[in-house]
Amino acid sequence: MDLIPAPQVARLDEGGRRFTFGPQPLLDAGPGTGTVARWLRRELGAATGWELPAAPAGVSAELRLRIDPDVAGDRGPESYLIDIGPDGAELAGASAAGLFWAAQTLRQLLGPDAYRRAPLPGRTWSLSYASVVDGPRFGWRGMMLDVARHFMPKDGVLRYIDLLAAHKLNVLHLHLTDDQGWRIEIKRYPRLTEVGGWRPRSRWGHRASPLWNETPHGGYYTQDDIREIVAYAAERHVRVVPEIDVPGHSQAAIAAYPELGNTDVVDTTALGVWDDWGITENVLAPTEAVLRFYEGVFEELLELFPVEVSPFVHVGGDECPKAQWKASAVAQERIRELGVDGEDGLQAWFVRHFDDWLTARGRRLIGWDEILEGGLADGAAVSSWRGYAGGIAAAEAGHDVVMCPEQQVYLDHRQAGGADEPMPIGYVRSLEDVYRFEPVPPKLSPEAAARVLGAQANVWTEVMENQDRVDYQVFPRLVAFAEVVWSWQPEPAERDFARFEGRMAAHYARLAAQGVDYRPPGGPLPRQRRPGVLGRPIEGAPPNV
């Protein structure tokens, strides 16, 4: 069975027997399975032509769905079982989520054509007699999608939720604000999207490139768009983590509301949404008025992202230049009032304020690993991006950690060293490199290792101007990452990459059926290249920091 991620147990019938479905199989959906039944009728029905009517009383159905907590065993609440035999297929999940992952496995077993949007003429459907027993290694299996640098329209986000779910990934971290754009409607502050949602042009390539795309760029999600995204994700057992950056990465907000910036050292009324990449000096002013402004932003955010789907809220907290605070009399007076340790203490004060504010409202703050430097409330979590070190320190200090070291799982980094890679960024991170990523560093104590919630692959879009470019950078490496965070793996050097590559041969056909513009194993197609556009390649092996 060419299943990805690899299940814990998969047994095929030694006799090669198969069950063949009739033209209109019946569906027996047990209590609590309605969401999965609807998904099967809609998604599998589109590819097969099956309507999957409910089985009448006393009639055996070819597809049977059950929720049975006993399935969990020691594999956790997302576990599932599949049994395929002479009476068809039975899917049982320890929870609704587990049953949904079973349905994703069933779709893989049916073959690549099960991912199409209309039936192919003359196609029949059968399954080998088999049993599958499975459950995930980690509870946080995610991808961060940066929609601030290059906006992805709503339908593209919904498509990525489906792609995550197809690979049993269950967290979508949406990077919604940055210097280059504000992407979420806040009704009390309409200029955040009216002004902050648009920039006049974009650098074409890395920030060292002399080329520009002079087309204005922008867009944003209305509040109803966000509600739709969150509901769509919830139906697929994907949690959405929204990110609103403070106090750095905030020039788009300052362009919309100049009073948010350090007005005593810079003419913030002259600032626009930033059109370049990198880190701008324009950061939020450390005032009570700014805190109240962002509390208003977070109040609307919490209403859009219910706690059941989004218990975590990401506040960024990283890469905050201090030059304006050093020059600002207002900021220096604030440092004296608060008694904090200089400008670094101000950055920590921002984060701690929203840590307390979110905790009081039943949410958990998560931020990039710089937030550790000022001290955190007990419930706060850390996204370890600069390497493993921040995650190790956080876990040993009793904080939950999501591992996402840039040297290992930043998917904007190039996939090969050849000259044809489009806008090459960073270290070479091949499919095999990602497959050998290990989220839990061996130096962690057992108690600290238990604090690693899981991992996520981060997709920064400075040089990804549209969906096809995102697809190229993300796939197939996200497939390897999905196996890393779902499947129980041996040590990185001992992992059977050749076997994984063999299973990928079948999986490329699944990706193609879903319309994914992935990087072919032999390198980019001519239309996927970007000749003459500068990137920022880094040679050698990435440091393990």
Side-chain angles (χ1 to χ4, degrees):
M1 286 184 275
D2 295 319
L3 295 174
I4 293 178
Q8 288 188 28
V9 179
R11 297 189 184 92
L12 274 175
D13 178 69
E14 294 180 357
R17 293 175 294 175
R18 299 183 69 86
F19 176 82
T20 299
F21 290 95
Q24 285 299 334
L26 300 177
L27 178 65
D28 178 1
T33 67
T35 299
V36 175
R38 285 194 299 274
W39 183 87
L40 284 171
R41 289 184 172 115
R42 182 177 60 247
E43 302 296 332
L44 207 56
T48 60
W50 296 345
E51 296 179 4
L52 295 177
V59 177
S60 178
E62 293 94 324
L63 277 176
R64 302 175 297 281
L65 308 180
R66 298 286 182 268
I67 292 178
D68 179 2
D70 291 340
V71 166
D74 59 357
R75 292 179 298 274
E78 294 181 86
S79 304
Y80 67 87
L81 306 175
I82 297 178
D83 281 310
I84 303 163
D87 297 326
E90 178 159 327
L91 283 61
S95 64
L99 183 64
F100 183 68
W101 307 133
Q104 295 289 355
T105 298
L106 175 73
R107 196 180 196 184
Q108 286 196 20
L109 290 170
L110 285 167
D113 288 342
Y115 291 86
R116 299 190 182 276
R117 296 185 181 181
L120 298 183
R123 181 73 161 83
T124 59
W125 302 92
S126 65
L127 292 169
S128 295
Y129 288 12
S131 63
V132 179
V133 182
D134 204 8
R137 179 184 178 192
F138 292 107
W140 186 300
R141 308 180 301 279
M143 186 185 90
M144 189 227 63
L145 180 61
D146 170 23
V147 296
R149 273 51 175 271
H150 276 102
F151 177 64
M152 181 177 284
K154 180 197 69 179
D155 283 355
V157 175
L158 299 179
R159 172 179 177 266
Y160 258 86
I161 290 169
D162 279 326
L163 289 170
L164 295 182
H167 294 88
K168 300 186 177 73
L169 297 172
N170 67 346
V171 176
L172 174 63
H173 170 176
L174 273 182
H175 184 75
L176 290 165
T177 73
D178 216 296
D179 300 309
Q180 297 86 0
W182 185 285
R183 305 294 178 216
I184 181 171
E185 178 187 31
I186 302 297
K187 290 186 181 294
R188 72 187 74 183
Y189 305 129
R191 287 175 58 84
L192 286 173
T193 46
E194 291 171 359
V195 174
W198 304 89
R199 62 176 181 263
R201 62 177 187 169
S202 306
R203 190 177 290 279
W204 184 231
H206 183 255
R207 57 182 176 269
S209 169
L211 305 177
W212 292 88
N213 181 341
E214 298 291 344
T215 304
H217 180 82
Y220 64 91
Y221 309 109
T222 68
Q223 293 202 350
D224 282 344
D225 289 339
I226 292 293
R227 291 185 180 99
E228 180 183 357
I229 288 168
V230 170
Y232 193 89
E235 191 174 50
R236 289 151 181 80
H237 300 279
V238 173
R239 288 180 285 159
V240 184
V241 177
E243 181 178 350
I244 303 291
D245 265 304
V246 296
H249 289 288
S250 298
Q251 185 165 323
I254 295 167
Y257 291 93
E259 64 271 23
L260 297 175
N262 294 284
T263 57
D264 60 337
V265 295
V266 65
D267 180 8
T268 56
T269 63
L271 294 176
V273 177
W274 207 26
D275 58 8
D276 210 346
W277 315 130
I279 305 170
T280 175
E281 295 286 341
N282 294 296
V283 301
L284 298 176
T287 67
E288 290 295 322
V290 169
L291 295 183
R292 299 294 89 74
F293 182 99
Y294 273 84
E295 286 171 2
V297 169
F298 283 114
E299 282 175 6
E300 293 194 24
L301 192 83
L302 297 190
E303 190 275 324
L304 297 171
F305 292 88
V307 67
E308 303 80 30
V309 181
S310 304
F312 288 90
V313 175
H314 208 292
V315 301
D318 64 321
E319 296 180 328
C320 180
K322 310 299 191 301
Q324 290 184 2
W325 288 351
K326 288 180 185 294
S328 167
V330 171
Q332 293 303 309
E333 178 60 26
R334 193 63 156 161
I335 289 170
R336 287 189 289 273
E337 289 176 1
L338 296 170
V340 297
D341 184 15
E343 293 77 24
D344 289 340
L346 273 187
Q347 182 174 350
W349 167 76
F350 260 103
V351 173
R352 283 200 305 271
H353 174 84
F354 287 104
D355 190 357
D356 294 340
W357 191 92
L358 289 165
T359 299
R361 287 155 181 81
R363 302 302 178 100
R364 294 184 65 186
L365 178 142
I366 186 168
W368 305 112
D369 52 57
E370 287 95 327
I371 69 172
L372 264 180
E373 294 160 10
L376 291 173
D378 290 344
V382 170
S383 302
S384 188
W385 77 273
R386 291 180 293 181
Y388 287 107
I392 292 170
E396 295 288 4
H399 294 287
D400 288 341
V401 175
V402 176
M403 286 293 186
C404 48
E406 69 166 325
Q407 303 88 351
Q408 313 298 328
V409 288
Y410 269 32
L411 299 187
D412 46 314
H413 283 214
R414 59 195 172 130
Q415 305 188 58
D420 288 334
E421 289 302 313
M423 303 186 196
I425 301 295
Y427 297 101
V428 171
R429 292 287 83 195
S430 67
L431 183 68
E432 182 172 359
D433 291 330
V434 174
Y435 191 68
R436 298 193 189 281
F437 164 62
E438 172 51 48
V440 181
K443 65 176 64 176
L444 278 181
S445 68
E447 296 79 14
R451 289 287 188 177
V452 178
L453 301 177
Q456 66 183 36
N458 291 347
V459 183
W460 299 103
T461 62
E462 287 93 336
V463 298
M464 299 181 215
E465 73 278 9
N466 56 35
Q467 180 176 283
D468 287 349
R469 278 287 292 124
V470 174
D471 278 5
Y472 178 89
Q473 291 297 133
V474 169
F475 289 100
R477 292 183 295 179
L478 190 71
V479 184
F481 175 82
E483 181 146 312
V484 166
V485 292
W486 176 279
S487 304
W488 295 82
Q489 297 272 15
E491 293 301 312
E494 299 172 6
R495 293 175 189 173
D496 192 344
F497 179 70
R499 184 169 177 269
F500 174 76
E501 273 192 310
R503 286 181 286 125
M504 277 300 301
H507 200 72
Y508 283 119
R510 297 181 191 123
L511 294 176
Q514 294 170 89
V516 176
D517 199 18
Y518 61 85
R519 181 189 187 275
L525 301 172
R527 62 175 173 75
Q528 293 173 322
R529 300 168 188 161
R530 296 292 187 275
V533 184
L534 285 179
R536 186 183 60 93
I538 305 174
E539 301 304 328
N544 189 4
V545 294

